[in-house]
Amino acid sequence: MKKRVLLLSLAAMMATFTVTSCSSDDDFGVEAAQSGVLTLSFSGNNIMNYKSLEIEIQEINTGAIVKQTIENTNSYSFNLAYGSYKIIVNGTVITTDNEEIAVGAQAQTDITTAATNLNIPLFVKEFYDDFIFEEVFFTGIKTADGKVYNSGRYFKLTNNTDKILYADKLIIGQSEFLTTDDKNPTPYNVNQSFAVKGVMVLPGNGTDYPVQPGDFIVIADNAINHKQNTSNAYDLHNADFEFPSTNPSLGQVDNPDVPNVDVIYTQMTYNMFFLHNRGFESYVIARFPAGETSTTFLTNHKYNYQYTNSAGNITSKSAYEIPNSWIIDAVNNSVAAKFVHTLTSAGLDAGWTACGTIDSDDTRFGKSVRRKVLGQMENGKNIYMDTNNSTNDFVKDSQPSFINGIVH
């Protein structure tokens, strides 16, 4: 667990390797008459050695993937069929100060000629001394008679440090886009900000909600005992916060004993913050820096973008964006059959986790994504894996924490 941020300049190129060829076109499951050589170069200041780099190359149209791990070398070769590719890089490097740091990157390129050159800046994975997503329960459950129960979802945030943290004014952001659909919006830069369609802010004045090392808070969509409505739901009446909807069709009743979050922005009616129950969204935890508030956020961080719709026309939309510098943790969610792209910079989350494997997978109900346990703290609480890669850090299709209710 790194509890510091190492700054890595992206100005200087320290090593280059060439992708020239060792796998056939059939690796991508297609037969192509033409192929090309892709030359990748990596930039970063003060790098002495590229210890290990895991490279994943996905052909966008077919979804086929080739993976390769490079260790202690600065060159490797692939021969790729003509096509459109997304590239994800995760790994570790050794600095000139003999420090091992985690890095990540993502890029996209088309291969249409015999030789293609691509420079990929590596971003240091920043490990914050703050809260993490320990669990997200977004799938919901089905009732005994097979109906979808549209409540009882929650976020579980854990203090993964050895000091007291305060949950006051924590921000949770819900992605504007989906991991299963790339609209190619403009402008769009995941290395600068996270586009959101929903933002909630926890109450508090700074020290109202202390959380002990290894302890957690639960933010429920409705802090009630859902077992009273259907036997296989969960008891969330002891949640720490709730974000109940005012939509009368959902029949949600506010729990006066549980503080409400402030939903400062949502694109849904009735001030709803509704989690995608197939898991195609991404979420971030953030904090306002000095001088920023909910009011200044809504004033200064509007995100206006355009994309070409299915009819070939230009659609213009407005949302908001959270600067990456505010974000302390992130998790991308998707399913294998539909995954297209992550919605965060590789420095925040270079992977993704899931419940189910296909769209509308019935096996997903009653399951959550939960972070892997690394060990225990001195106080006996769990320490959780945090490599800024949800593919590594989370257990897919997990049993939710609160089958028997919330216990602090």
Side-chain angles (χ1 to χ4, degrees):
M1 295 290 297
K2 289 184 181 295
K3 296 302 177 187
R4 57 199 173 95
V5 177
L6 298 176
L7 299 179
L8 180 62
S9 169
L10 301 175
M13 182 176 72
M14 298 299 296
T16 300
F17 70 81
T18 302
V19 181
T20 56
S21 182
C22 72
S23 62
S24 70
D25 298 339
D26 290 340
D27 287 334
F28 285 101
V30 296
E31 293 183 4
Q34 293 176 295
S35 62
V37 175
L38 174 65
T39 300
L40 299 179
S41 60
F42 295 87
S43 57
N45 199 24
N46 299 325
I47 297 177
M48 180 173 64
N49 180 41
Y50 288 77
K51 182 178 180 181
S52 177
L53 294 176
E54 297 177 357
I55 304 168
E56 177 177 302
I57 304 176
Q58 181 182 37
E59 209 290 313
I60 295 172
N61 299 301
T62 66
I65 294 174
V66 163
K67 296 182 180 181
Q68 183 63 48
T69 299
I70 297 174
E71 297 180 346
N72 299 315
T73 180
N74 64 350
S75 64
Y76 199 76
S77 300
F78 291 95
N79 189 20
L80 302 178
Y82 283 8
S84 297
Y85 294 90
K86 289 194 173 183
I87 302 165
I88 298 175
V89 181
N90 289 294
T92 55
V93 300
I94 307 298
T95 69
T96 53
D97 296 326
N98 204 33
E99 293 181 307
E100 182 175 319
I101 60 174
V103 294
Q106 51 188 317
Q108 185 169 330
T109 191
D110 293 330
I111 297 179
T112 58
T113 61
T116 303
N117 299 315
L118 180 65
N119 175 260
I120 302 179
L122 294 176
F123 292 86
V124 171
K125 295 185 177 183
E126 301 183 27
F127 298 87
Y128 295 88
D129 226 6
D130 218 313
F131 287 96
I132 59 169
F133 285 113
E134 194 249 294
E135 180 182 10
V136 184
F137 179 59
F138 52 77
T139 59
I141 60 98
K142 276 192 173 182
T143 63
D145 57 356
K147 295 179 180 178
V148 176
Y149 180 69
N150 284 315
S151 192
R153 298 177 176 88
Y154 59 83
F155 295 103
K156 183 181 179 185
L157 278 53
T158 294
N159 175 357
N160 206 37
T161 78
D162 59 359
K163 63 184 181 181
I164 297 174
L165 296 177
Y166 294 91
D168 303 55
K169 300 301 182 187
L170 277 179
I171 304 165
I172 295 181
Q174 177 184 31
S175 62
E176 163 72 353
F177 304 115
L178 301 179
T179 57
T180 56
D181 178 31
D182 189 354
K183 297 182 182 298
N184 291 311
T186 56
Y188 183 61
N189 188 345
V190 296
N191 293 321
Q192 293 183 353
S193 61
F194 180 74
V196 287
K197 68 178 179 185
V199 180
M200 68 171 72
V201 179
L202 273 57
N205 295 311
T207 57
D208 293 335
Y209 299 104
V211 181
Q212 298 296 319
D215 207 349
F216 60 85
I217 58 173
V218 173
I219 309 160
D221 62 359
N222 199 195
I224 64 171
N225 182 0
H226 294 274
K227 287 182 176 293
Q228 296 175 348
N229 297 330
T230 181
S231 60
N232 54 348
Y234 307 123
D235 182 357
L236 300 178
H237 83 280
N238 283 326
D240 300 276
F241 305 94
E242 67 175 351
F243 51 103
S245 168
T246 58
N247 186 341
S249 68
L250 294 181
Q252 293 190 0
V253 178
D254 181 67
N255 183 343
D257 296 326
V258 176
N260 285 345
V261 304
D262 185 10
V263 179
I264 65 171
Y265 172 65
T266 178
Q267 295 176 7
M268 303 187 72
T269 57
Y270 298 105
N271 205 38
M272 290 179 66
F273 197 105
F274 194 77
L275 307 189
H276 194 293
N277 77 2
R278 288 176 289 160
F280 295 172
E281 295 177 330
S282 302
Y283 308 105
V284 300
I285 310 172
R287 286 191 184 274
F288 291 119
E292 292 278 2
T293 64
S294 296
T295 300
T296 61
F297 171 77
L298 294 175
T299 301
N300 300 328
H301 296 280
K302 196 82 170 179
Y303 171 48
N304 301 312
Y305 67 93
Q306 295 181 327
Y307 66 93
T308 302
N309 59 36
S310 58
N313 300 318
I314 299 298
T315 295
S316 297
K317 284 195 66 177
S318 291
Y320 280 87
E321 58 186 357
I322 299 175
N324 284 359
S325 59
W326 298 14
I327 296 173
I328 59 177
D329 195 37
V331 56
N332 291 290
N333 303 283
S334 196
V335 291
K338 297 278 288 184
F339 173 74
V340 174
H341 62 158
T342 57
L343 303 175
T344 61
S345 76
L348 295 173
D349 185 10
W352 56 277
T353 186
C355 288
T357 59
I358 61 174
D359 192 3
S360 300
D361 195 333
D362 268 353
T363 67
R364 76 189 187 278
F365 288 107
K367 296 177 181 176
S368 70
V369 294
R370 296 178 64 179
R371 201 175 285 259
K372 297 175 182 176
V373 177
L374 274 181
Q376 277 71 46
M377 300 180 178
E378 290 184 359
N379 63 5
K381 301 286 187 176
N382 287 336
I383 297 175
Y384 294 94
M385 183 175 291
D386 185 14
T387 69
N388 284 14
N389 185 330
S390 291
T391 305
N392 299 328
D393 293 345
F394 282 81
V395 179
K396 300 177 181 179
D397 298 307
S398 294
Q399 185 181 69
S401 300
F402 305 124
I403 290 178
N404 297 314
I406 298 172
V407 179
H408 284 281

